[in-house]
Amino acid sequence: MQTRRTLLAAGLAGVLAAACTGTAAQAAVPDQAAAFIQKLLQDLTAIVNGPGSTAQKQAALQKIVDTSVDVNGVARFCLGRFWRQATAQQQKDYIALFRQVLMNNITGKVGEYSGVTFQMGRAQSRDEGIAVSSIVTRPGNAPNSVDWIVATEGGQPKIIDVIAEGTSLRLTQRSDYSSFLSRNNGNVQALIDALHRQTG
Amino acid sequence: MSIASKTFADPRTTMPTPPCPAQPASARSAMTRSAMTRSAMNRSATGALTALAMLLLAGCATPPPASDPEAVAEFNQTNDPLEPTNRVFYAINDGVDVVLLRPIALAYRNAVPDQVRTGVHNVLTNLSTPVVLANDMMQGKPRRAGDTLMRFVVNSTAGVAGIFDVATDMGWPYHDSDFGMTLASWGVGEGPYLYLPVLGPSNPRDTVGYGVDIALDPLTWVGKGNNVDNLMYTRIGLSALDARASVLDDFDKIQQQALDPYATIRSVYRQYRRAKIRAAQDDNRATPPLWATQPQAAPVSR
């Protein structure tokens, strides 16, 4: 039972459903990556716990996501092998919709995150980038271990994946899309239409 | 779910052309039996039997053509050969969840104060300690076994029969352990994905582990009689309630945000299990006596 409980806590994933990577991303230096994530988490907690209306908080979060997450790379990763099958127009539509869905998922429940705190852990090199560990605690919830995978993209450190309780958000998202596409004869337009419906 | 409705709508047309390699022999004989005794049997019973047999027969996922190597690689990585059957059970579980489990869990969360729910959770966790301890030992993890043992001693006494988790604050945090993890530590692979009725996401290794954990639980073997049985059912019911209530928001999120919740849950379950097994295997803290220099605390793994 504990299994299922924590398993689905991992699904909390949705929270900061950021992160998928570009291929040309370079590995950053662990110290830099750790400093980058620490600053990011300070900014995030300052926003969600700070004053300001929900709309203001959402706008501030959106800005942070755009500057610190490699949204395009993440989007491409999540489409996987279907990226090359998509037309140029479909790729463009998909990226725009992916960004919108990501923003909705992150900023949609900003009110729920008030009181959130974090503790930094160690940073270490992995194949895909630098993994910076942290423990994120929401009031009334068990602490969650969240690893931030950072790569250097165009000279800037960017988040390419978030691993919540051992669950990679970009891998989870990719398996969702890939299963959906397999059941729709690999038709990328079907995915785009579905994302359209999701964003309303 | 479309698969479910397809399978049940007209079983005759969904007969798979190639027989499924993993097809159990019992499914075949059940099928033959139901066909032979059709006239003698109640019509609806026959229908149900046929549907069940078809379900098992039709349980094979069709691999993509070999001309598409990327699709084949993905199919093998997904490792869900019984996907059609799994999806039927997923649809059934999901239906029960929507009309029954989720509403009850919501009511529980809304009606029962936080402290009471935490107490219930702590008691249930404490009751499962013997199983965790046995698995820690079988995995050859003395420090984890020590943590578990100290938790049981401290929480059962100072924690008033497990209601309060005082052990965590004293430096013995909770970690989970089960026989599926023990098998993994012995080198047993997870096998293909399974979605089980009632129990949900699993695989052959974890399914066996689930059964062994029940057998390992001393409370399984405690006496007989109505009182014992009632306490047992209460524990099972509360465990289900506690588990479902704790994942209300996360599960809602998956249902809302995933295009294919079945596939998302499959991916999350696998990744989560692998991470937990890795965390247990990487936890190689020493067990020095109290007066010796203590090693650094291990990273939190729950």
Side-chain angles (χ1 to χ4, degrees):
Chain A
M1 283 307 159
Q2 186 66 18
T3 305
R4 276 189 77 132
R5 176 173 183 267
T6 325
L7 155 67
L8 287 154
L12 174 120
V15 178
L16 295 152
C20 295
T21 187
T23 43
Q26 275 180 313
V29 183
D31 288 350
Q32 285 174 0
F36 167 67
I37 294 300
Q38 177 149 27
K39 166 106 175 38
L40 175 80
L41 290 177
Q42 279 165 354
D43 292 350
L44 284 176
T45 46
I47 292 169
V48 295
N49 298 328
S53 68
T54 304
Q56 284 169 334
K57 288 182 181 181
Q58 285 177 339
L61 279 182
Q62 201 154 332
K63 213 171 136 195
I64 288 197
V65 173
D66 272 332
T67 52
S68 53
V69 178
D70 177 18
V71 179
N72 289 0
V74 173
R76 233 181 116 156
F77 178 92
C78 292
L79 198 54
R81 66 195 172 92
F82 296 96
W83 174 260
R84 273 173 289 120
Q85 295 171 22
T87 64
Q89 184 59 41
Q90 283 176 334
Q91 291 180 349
K92 214 176 127 211
D93 292 349
Y94 164 74
I95 293 229
L97 284 164
F98 183 90
R99 180 180 171 279
Q100 195 53 49
V101 170
L102 180 67
M103 289 299 178
N104 291 353
N105 290 351
I106 294 175
T107 63
K109 306 215 167 151
V110 63
E112 278 178 21
Y113 305 133
S114 63
V116 72
T117 56
F118 72 91
Q119 261 177 285
M120 292 293 289
R122 58 205 166 138
Q124 49 189 336
S125 278
R126 283 201 206 156
D127 289 347
E128 60 271 37
I130 307 288
V132 182
S133 306
S134 69
I135 306 282
V136 178
T137 309
R138 272 197 302 156
N141 287 276
N144 281 292
S145 88
V146 180
D147 289 356
W148 310 80
I149 312 296
V150 179
T152 308
E153 195 70 53
Q156 297 291 318
K158 295 265 188 189
I159 295 171
I160 59 166
D161 196 6
V162 177
I163 299 181
E165 294 290 332
T167 308
S168 153
L169 298 183
R170 64 174 183 173
L171 275 181
T172 307
Q173 189 65 69
R174 179 154 84 169
S175 62
D176 183 35
Y177 286 174
S178 122
S179 177
F180 177 87
L181 283 162
S182 300
R183 290 162 72 74
N184 285 278
N185 303 316
N187 180 3
V188 176
Q189 195 56 45
L191 176 70
I192 290 174
D193 294 344
L195 292 177
H196 253 301
R197 283 192 295 277
Q198 264 198 338
T199 53
Chain B
M1 284 282 144
S2 58
I3 291 282
S5 51
K6 210 172 106 196
T7 312
F8 288 120
D10 189 0
R12 280 154 303 168
T13 60
T14 54
M15 190 71 177
T17 28
C20 167
Q23 168 192 351
S26 58
R28 227 173 313 160
S29 61
M31 174 67 201
T32 328
R33 230 185 359 257
S34 78
M36 285 191 308
T37 56
R38 180 162 299 174
S39 58
M41 285 175 84
N42 174 312
R43 220 184 149 73
S44 63
T46 311
L49 253 186
T50 314
L52 185 66
M54 284 300 175
L55 181 66
L56 295 170
L57 278 168
C60 259
T62 321
S67 56
D68 191 348
E70 277 187 315
V72 173
E74 189 178 280
F75 180 82
N76 291 336
Q77 207 185 0
T78 304
N79 195 11
D80 190 358
L82 297 177
E83 180 168 345
T85 310
N86 284 340
R87 278 190 190 266
V88 172
F89 289 136
Y90 171 78
I92 295 170
N93 278 16
D94 195 44
V96 174
D97 185 70
V98 168
V99 299
L100 201 66
L101 297 183
R102 187 175 175 279
I104 295 175
L106 261 180
Y108 175 66
R109 188 173 70 173
N110 293 335
V112 179
D114 203 15
Q115 295 88 331
V116 177
R117 279 184 286 127
T118 304
V120 168
H121 174 75
N122 289 344
V123 169
L124 292 169
T125 306
N126 197 50
L127 287 178
S128 70
T129 319
V131 177
V132 176
L133 176 62
N135 282 300
D136 285 342
M137 294 197 293
M138 286 189 285
Q139 288 163 28
K141 295 291 176 188
R143 184 64 185 264
R144 280 164 81 88
D147 281 357
T148 305
L149 182 61
M150 287 314 291
R151 285 183 61 80
F152 189 66
V153 171
V154 170
N155 282 349
S156 300
T157 51
V160 195
I163 297 173
F164 304 101
D165 179 7
V166 282
T168 295
D169 297 331
M170 296 170 73
W172 295 296
Y174 177 74
H175 66 258
D176 199 1
S177 200
D178 55 62
F179 198 71
M181 292 167 68
T182 301
L183 286 174
S185 78
W186 294 349
V188 178
E190 61 182 19
Y193 182 68
L194 289 179
Y195 195 97
L196 303 175
V198 185
L199 299 176
S202 192
N203 55 50
R205 182 196 65 204
D206 292 348
T207 306
V208 169
Y210 185 82
V212 173
D213 283 332
I214 291 174
L216 281 174
D217 193 340
L219 293 178
T220 305
W221 309 105
V222 173
K224 277 206 165 83
N226 282 341
N227 288 342
V228 176
D229 285 351
N230 288 343
L231 280 174
M232 212 95 98
Y233 291 131
T234 308
R235 181 191 175 199
I236 293 170
L238 276 179
S239 296
L241 193 57
D242 173 56
R244 186 63 187 89
S246 67
V247 296
L248 269 170
D249 295 335
D250 303 323
F251 206 75
D252 284 356
K253 231 165 248 167
I254 291 181
Q255 296 291 347
Q256 284 160 15
Q257 295 177 358
L259 296 179
D260 186 351
Y262 169 85
T264 300
I265 289 169
R266 178 175 64 201
S267 174
V268 169
Y269 177 74
R270 279 217 179 104
Q271 293 186 56
Y272 174 73
R273 288 295 289 175
R274 284 173 194 169
K276 201 152 83 158
I277 289 163
R278 209 180 314 123
Q281 281 172 4
D282 290 349
D283 188 353
N284 289 317
R285 289 170 297 158
T287 50
L290 275 175
W291 42 262
T293 316
Q294 296 296 311
Q296 275 198 318
V300 181
S301 60
R302 280 170 299 108

